[in-house]
Amino acid sequence: VQLQASGGGLVQAGGSLRLSCAAPGSDARLEPMGWYRQTPGKERELVAIFTESGGTDYSDSVKGRFFISRDGAKESVYLQMNDLKPEDTAVYYCKAVRRALNPKYDRDLWGQGTQVTVSS
């Protein structure tokens, strides 16, 4: 089972990109939740995510520029990135949760990552 992330690329500073992450239709228990990013030598960091209560959480560095959304069936999650800056350059990873019958057995899964490069 693989999460299908897409939408990365090369963009100039000030530009926009939209990332998408979809769970395979064959896995109804897989729920994409949000986005993290990572640059070489640094830990993976939160960008934007839907919380368990249905709200959203954003990194301070992207608030007001990035917006997370998802479809009603919770099969796909999107990240609209506006006013991109060179410091947004990173590999962006989609995070999903595979729901278990007992929530304490829910498991996090990661997509393969998509490169976002912002030139100055």
Side-chain angles (χ1 to χ4, degrees):
V1 173
Q2 281 193 326
L3 294 168
Q4 299 163 354
S6 61
L10 173 64
V11 66
Q12 288 188 331
S16 297
L17 286 173
R18 186 174 187 250
L19 304 183
S20 300
C21 176
S26 59
D27 192 338
R29 294 183 295 141
L30 193 59
E31 181 181 332
M33 296 295 291
W35 298 90
Y36 287 68
R37 66 187 180 188
Q38 189 170 22
T39 54
K42 293 189 177 181
E43 291 187 358
R44 195 170 295 185
E45 63 174 6
L46 171 71
V47 178
I49 200 163
F50 283 97
T51 64
E52 289 293 335
S53 61
T56 55
D57 193 18
Y58 291 90
S59 165
D60 286 344
S61 64
V62 307
K63 282 180 181 176
R65 299 188 298 122
F66 291 12
F67 301 94
I68 191 170
S69 62
R70 62 185 172 187
D71 65 344
K74 297 183 181 180
E75 294 175 342
S76 297
V77 65
Y78 309 96
L79 185 67
Q80 178 66 41
M81 304 186 294
N82 301 323
D83 190 23
L84 282 159
K85 303 177 180 181
E87 52 263 42
D88 295 318
T89 295
V91 178
Y92 284 68
Y93 295 91
C94 175
K95 178 182 174 182
V97 173
R98 175 167 282 134
R99 300 294 183 188
L101 292 178
N102 185 334
K104 74 176 183 179
Y105 295 115
D106 287 351
R107 189 160 63 98
D108 291 342
L109 294 173
W110 295 91
Q112 78 277 19
T114 183
Q115 176 71 46
V116 171
T117 302
V118 184
S119 63
S120 57

